[in-house]
Amino acid sequence: VGEVWWTDGAIFSKGLVNSHATDSRELTTAHQAPRHWHTADMAMATVPIPVESVCEMNASSKTGAIEFRIGAWSSLPSEHVVGDASQGRTYSEIMHAAGDKWQIQVNPGGFSAPSDTEEEVQRRKEHVAIFLYYEGESKALRTKYSITLVNQLPGKADRTTHRTSNEPVTTFGQVNSDTTSRGEGFPSFIKRSVLEDESNGWKVNDRVIIRATITTFGDLESTVAAAAPAFTPPNTVTTDLESMLNSGEASDIALYVAGREFKAHRVILRARSPYFEGLFSSSMR
């Protein structure tokens, strides 16, 4: 327990400072008028309005992956696909992932839309197009997906493409409409010359592996529950601090006045008295 000696109304540390205070709750120096504090002032704060009920809204999700392993890449049809043309497309069998049915489609000769410019068509003829098709029964299935070209050489990284971060979620359905799509993907996934150069690892021994990673989201579901009551301390700060002073509980300093001992708390003395704030923050003892 640290000690500050107070004898006959004077405090002794390294020098003599006169004081007429007789209570550790009201401390002054000879050059400062007494300051009267009310401990209730310390606890005045805005009380938050209690939350009585909480609504939680979430959507369940499922994640899975499918792979299309093509063992004879050079034998695939290589016609450039324009619009709805069927030639030049190669489909996997229907596979299951994330609780639904899917297909991967690959167009080695590339894909372009009828509205594309001639310059765009020529560029896309140089690329391999890869798409994910929905074969399930949902009319509107919110989905995030990515397409990966698996690198088959040790130490070389896969090539993965996602939807843009501005629109990461697409809605698949049984029909193409303004709000749903049966198939979606990347018409310029990778340059065909880069894929077919086996030193790059995308095609090894005429084998190509395409993976689709799929996350589907269910309907939004809400639950309502009573909020857990927040702890609100009783408005008894004044009596609590007085009780600590009278009992000496958790005290870390003692004041001696005319032979009497008063146990106190440094943090309270520093907060309530500029003199003790200066005393405790200096080298004075």
Side-chain angles (χ1 to χ4, degrees):
V1 175
E3 296 184 353
V4 175
W5 290 87
W6 183 332
T7 305
D8 296 330
I11 294 176
F12 292 90
S13 53
K14 289 188 177 179
L16 177 64
V17 179
N18 292 324
S19 175
H20 303 288
T22 58
D23 190 295
S24 60
R25 288 166 291 182
E26 178 186 329
L27 304 172
T28 70
T29 69
H31 304 290
Q32 184 177 14
R35 298 177 66 186
H36 298 274
W37 298 87
H38 298 283
T39 51
D41 297 342
M42 301 168 60
M44 295 303 292
T46 302
V47 178
I49 298 174
V51 176
E52 299 180 28
S53 187
V54 176
C55 175
E56 295 277 358
M57 180 175 289
N58 292 293
S60 61
S61 64
K62 298 177 182 178
T63 299
I66 57 177
E67 279 191 353
F68 189 12
R69 301 174 181 176
I70 304 168
W73 175 265
S74 59
S75 67
L76 299 185
S78 58
E79 295 91 346
H80 181 69
V81 178
V82 178
D84 295 331
S86 59
Q87 290 184 330
R89 302 173 187 263
T90 298
Y91 292 90
S92 71
E93 297 296 326
I94 295 175
M95 295 176 279
H96 293 79
D100 234 306
K101 301 176 183 178
W102 308 89
Q103 277 185 313
I104 293 175
Q105 180 204 132
V106 58
N107 305 341
F111 171 88
S112 60
S115 58
D116 287 341
T117 64
E118 183 61 30
E119 181 181 358
E120 184 68 15
V121 170
Q122 293 304 314
R123 189 184 71 83
R124 289 190 172 182
K125 282 182 177 180
E126 299 175 356
H127 289 76
V128 175
I130 304 176
F131 298 93
L132 177 66
Y133 271 77
Y134 178 64
E135 297 295 337
E137 299 178 357
S138 176
K139 294 181 179 179
L141 182 64
R142 296 171 61 247
T143 307
K144 290 177 68 173
Y145 70 91
S146 63
I147 302 292
T148 298
L149 194 57
V150 178
N151 200 298
Q152 301 169 68
L153 293 181
K156 290 201 171 185
D158 298 338
R159 182 189 184 101
T160 299
T161 301
H162 304 261
R163 281 177 59 92
T164 63
S165 58
N166 292 334
E167 297 180 357
V169 177
T170 188
T171 302
F172 285 104
Q174 296 176 343
V175 297
N176 291 319
S177 68
D178 292 339
T179 56
T180 62
S181 174
R182 278 207 61 222
E184 233 190 55
F186 309 99
S188 301
F189 188 88
I190 188 173
K191 266 197 168 184
R192 186 166 58 256
S193 60
V194 174
L195 182 149
E196 294 181 347
D197 182 348
E198 296 208 359
S199 66
N200 292 324
W202 311 120
K203 180 170 77 75
V204 174
N205 296 326
D206 210 27
R207 177 182 173 86
V208 173
I209 302 174
I210 301 169
R211 179 186 303 138
T213 302
I214 304 160
T215 299
T216 60
F217 300 93
D219 294 334
L220 288 170
E221 298 179 355
S222 298
T223 58
V224 177
F231 172 72
T232 302
N235 189 20
T236 56
V237 175
T238 302
T239 55
D240 291 344
L241 292 177
E242 184 177 6
S243 175
M244 288 181 65
L245 177 63
N246 293 333
S247 68
E249 181 183 355
S251 67
D252 56 0
I253 194 169
L255 306 179
Y256 291 86
V257 181
R260 294 182 60 191
E261 180 187 71
F262 296 87
K263 292 184 177 180
H265 306 80
R266 290 175 184 264
V267 65
I268 301 297
L269 293 175
R270 291 186 68 162
R272 310 304 281 170
S273 167
Y275 174 76
F276 278 106
E277 167 65 23
L279 180 66
F280 295 146
S281 61
S282 72
S283 60
M284 296 177 65
R285 291 293 182 270

